[in-house]
Amino acid sequence: MDRKFIFVTGGVVSGLGKGVCAASLGLLLKQRGLKVAAQKLDPYLNADPGTMSPYQHGEVFVTEDGAETDLDLGHYERFIDENLNRKSSLTSGKVFWEILSRERSGGYLGKTVQIIPHVTDEIKSAIYTLGEMTGADVVITEIGGTIGDIESQPFLEAARQLRTEVGIGNSMFIHVVLVPYLACSGEYKTKPSQHSVHELQGMGIMPDCIIARSDKPLDDGLLSKIAMFCNVERRAVIGNENISPIYALPLLLHERGLDDYAVSRLSLECGSCELDAWRSAVERMSGEKKRRVRIAICGKYVKLHDAYLSINEALFHAASWNEAGLELLFIDSEEVEKVGPEALLGDVDGILVPGGFGSRGVEGMIQCARYARENDIPYLGICLGMQIAVIEAARSLSGMRCASSREFDPDGTECVIDLMDEQRRITAKGGTMRLGAYPCRIAQGTLLHRLYGRDAVDERHRHRYEVSPAFRTRIAESGIVFSGMSPDGMLVEAMENPSCLFFLGVQFHPEFKSRPNRVHPLFDGFVKAALG
């Protein structure tokens, strides 16, 4: 069977959920026995989102091999349950960087370098390469942005060219559109969808399938109207109203025939779709909950919940696994500095301090860690959250009143958190942190060991600063246990306070490996403790 290529585009407005639709189709095809690879093409000129503010782009999702990527790759991994890699993410910045570097080194032998064919060839090469390196039967490529954006045109042109190269029978275009509801007239309007498809056709691309997004279910008349005016088969126009949880979307799209249509359209050789395990997970998430757990996320980017998307989802997975409803409270750490933790955290069941960069709001996070420790409220610190817990312990338990991080206090004398040795000579910002999966050796008899049930794990990292070896012994003498270390014993990967019910900090990001039907053990343990 020839390799198949599916492209997912979006029209009318951004934020329609193209990524979740692509991830859902990936899951459905995988459950039919096919090997699926997923990929996101982003039109911005940044090489990756690693240097962007979370308010600009939401969280940065990190792959096993250390790529800083768009948050949609998190959806792909959670739905398809396949580890992605650097080739799963491509931006205009990466494309132009590669082409200009090649041109400067004489790689084009005097040719005039142009969007066509050089830029489009580079994009096609990335798509083909992902399929080859993964051995995928189907490569699903989401094209970021909205049809009509000037930035997306090279990607769309590359996709159009690829279709002519592999053949119509080996390629498929899915276009996700918005069908808005006008309250003044009391009806849904299909005209924006028609204009979006017309724009796509103007670029030489005829969509094979349309996913119509709406607030509520669309009737058959509206879907038939879209099919007629957009020149698409009626069975290939699929309604997709708002649904909760998002993990129910694959079931909805399956019921409405998306994977059946894709299999037929691409002549895929596969079995039926086995969704029993996924359906059970969704039922567990959707069922009536007899108890609830209130978790406070204390950070500096709380105004945009997508800044902590993978953490939010990992907590939801854990709460559902424990048959509990989840209530998330997003607490601005700067607000904690103003009014104190007691006013904001008095009725929570657990406190989580996530990752972040810079000094803003740090003292508020330290107050949160202290409040959790003194009141024995389950605490989970992730990346910066672990460093915050170490600083708080150094100040409160080890007598180092000026304890801080070199990141916040460059001239400090008690920087219990310091720049890693390998980072000292690095000046470039993008893609230069400790990134990707690294091994962690776990001490037996610790909370970390009980949660994992293993002596070693691999988890994903994204940081420049670490617990300083110069202060490690002194902090440990106060009762803090460094329960996770790098194999060479040089880097602290986890700390815990055995005097508390659940007080754990990890330098890595466990949220990236949580799955809806396979909860991560650290989040499972944290939620269990919070419920207890």
Side-chain angles (χ1 to χ4, degrees), residues 222-531:
L222 285 168
L223 297 177
S224 297
K225 183 178 181 181
I226 292 173
M228 179 176 66
F229 281 97
C230 296
N231 198 27
V232 175
E233 290 184 73
R234 169 60 188 88
R235 66 175 180 140
V237 179
I238 296 171
N240 172 202
E241 64 271 15
N242 293 342
I243 189 170
S244 181
I246 60 170
Y247 301 105
L249 182 57
L251 302 177
L252 177 73
L253 296 179
H254 173 67
E255 291 170 2
R256 294 178 180 176
L258 177 61
D259 54 311
D260 283 338
Y261 179 76
V263 167
S264 172
R265 171 66 182 73
L266 295 171
S267 301
L268 289 164
E269 300 170 8
C270 57
S272 58
C273 195
E274 175 50 61
L275 289 171
D276 288 348
W278 191 267
R279 188 172 284 107
S280 295
V282 172
E283 289 173 355
R284 187 168 58 245
M285 296 173 188
S286 308
E288 188 73 23
K289 305 297 190 297
K290 296 181 180 180
R291 52 183 182 168
R292 296 189 65 78
V293 60
R294 303 184 81 223
I295 303 295
I297 296 180
C298 305
K300 58 177 66 178
Y301 310 119
V302 294
K303 292 178 182 177
L304 180 68
H305 296 177
D306 273 0
Y308 305 117
L309 180 60
S310 290
I311 287 176
N312 303 344
E313 293 304 310
L315 288 169
F316 178 60
H317 302 162
S320 299
W321 189 261
N322 286 280
E323 299 182 336
L326 174 66
E327 183 179 353
L328 289 179
L329 284 75
F330 292 90
I331 307 296
D332 189 332
S333 56
E334 288 187 286
E335 190 66 21
V336 176
E337 294 175 355
K338 298 175 184 176
V339 303
E342 294 83 359
L344 299 172
L345 302 173
D347 57 353
V348 302
D349 302 312
I351 296 172
L352 188 151
V353 175
F357 300 92
S359 60
R360 181 173 62 84
V362 161
E363 290 301 320
M365 297 180 204
I366 293 173
Q367 290 183 46
C368 290
R370 175 186 57 77
Y371 183 80
R373 178 182 58 79
E374 291 180 346
N375 293 277
D376 203 7
I377 299 172
Y379 175 92
L380 179 60
I382 294 176
C383 197
L384 175 62
M386 185 199 85
Q387 298 172 6
I388 290 295
V390 171
I391 293 171
E392 194 281 324
R395 291 182 183 180
S396 302
L397 305 177
S398 301
M400 291 183 276
R401 295 185 178 181
C402 296
S404 188
S405 167
R406 189 74 63 191
E407 182 180 7
F408 320 134
D409 187 7
D411 300 319
T413 58
E414 293 180 323
C415 289
V416 296
I417 306 297
D418 213 334
L419 192 64
M420 300 171 63
D421 287 341
E422 65 207 51
Q423 292 285 322
R424 296 186 186 279
R425 294 179 298 276
I426 295 175
T427 57
K429 296 293 185 185
T432 56
M433 289 184 281
R434 188 178 188 229
L435 292 164
Y438 285 89
C440 169
R441 191 183 68 233
I442 302 174
Q444 294 190 6
T446 60
L447 171 62
L448 193 68
H449 194 275
R450 291 197 298 274
L451 294 172
Y452 276 113
R454 298 168 58 184
D455 296 331
V457 294
D458 286 338
E459 292 283 6
R460 302 179 194 180
H461 294 67
R462 185 175 183 252
H463 63 103
R464 297 185 193 279
Y465 294 83
E466 259 285 359
V467 176
S468 172
F471 296 96
R472 197 182 300 164
T473 300
R474 185 173 173 183
I475 295 171
E477 288 173 349
S478 70
I480 295 300
V481 174
F482 295 116
S483 52
M485 300 292 296
S486 60
D488 61 6
M490 297 299 293
L491 301 177
V492 172
E493 298 284 7
M495 62 79 70
E496 55 190 69
N497 188 333
S499 68
C500 297
L501 170 69
F502 188 107
F503 194 101
L504 177 67
V506 293
Q507 187 59 71
F508 45 80
H509 289 266
E511 68 271 23
F512 293 146
K513 290 194 172 184
S514 184
R515 304 289 182 260
N517 51 0
R518 192 174 68 255
V519 62
H520 193 286
L522 299 193
F523 284 92
D524 183 37
F526 175 56
V527 168
K528 274 187 169 67
L531 285 167

Side-chain angles (χ1 to χ4, degrees), residues 93-277:
K94 283 183 180 177
V95 172
F96 293 141
W97 186 298
E98 180 65 30
I99 288 173
L100 292 175
S101 298
R102 189 179 302 141
E103 187 275 333
R104 289 292 83 188
S105 63
Y108 292 103
L109 300 176
K111 295 178 181 177
T112 300
V113 181
Q114 299 175 291
I115 298 295
I116 301 172
H118 302 101
V119 171
T120 52
D121 282 353
E122 191 71 24
I123 296 168
K124 287 186 294 182
S125 175
I127 300 170
Y128 286 132
T129 299
L130 178 65
E132 292 164 2
M133 70 184 295
T134 59
D137 299 309
V138 181
V139 176
I140 299 177
T141 301
E142 177 193 351
I143 299 178
T146 306
I147 296 303
D149 295 345
I150 190 170
E151 298 94 339
S152 301
Q153 290 179 7
F155 291 110
L156 292 165
E157 172 60 19
R160 185 197 66 78
Q161 291 178 18
L162 190 143
R163 162 170 274 191
T164 66
E165 294 172 3
V166 302
I168 292 178
N170 293 322
S171 61
M172 176 178 168
F173 279 85
I174 298 175
H175 194 47
V176 184
V177 297
L178 175 69
V179 181
Y181 179 79
L182 293 188
C184 59
S185 61
E187 59 184 341
Y188 283 93
K189 293 293 187 179
T190 64
K191 192 62 71 177
S193 301
Q194 296 174 41
H195 285 309
S196 177
V197 171
H198 179 74
E199 185 84 22
L200 187 63
Q201 291 171 337
M203 303 194 72
I205 297 171
M206 179 70 71
D208 303 289
C209 174
I210 294 175
I211 295 179
R213 292 281 289 110
S214 59
D215 291 332
K216 295 181 179 179
L218 300 175
D219 61 41
D220 183 70
L222 285 168
L223 297 177
S224 297
K225 183 178 181 181
I226 292 173
M228 179 176 66
F229 281 97
C230 296
N231 198 27
V232 175
E233 290 184 73
R234 169 60 188 88
R235 66 175 180 140
V237 179
I238 296 171
N240 172 202
E241 64 271 15
N242 293 342
I243 189 170
S244 181
I246 60 170
Y247 301 105
L249 182 57
L251 302 177
L252 177 73
L253 296 179
H254 173 67
E255 291 170 2
R256 294 178 180 176
L258 177 61
D259 54 311
D260 283 338
Y261 179 76
V263 167
S264 172
R265 171 66 182 73
L266 295 171
S267 301
L268 289 164
E269 300 170 8
C270 57
S272 58
C273 195
E274 175 50 61
L275 289 171
D276 288 348

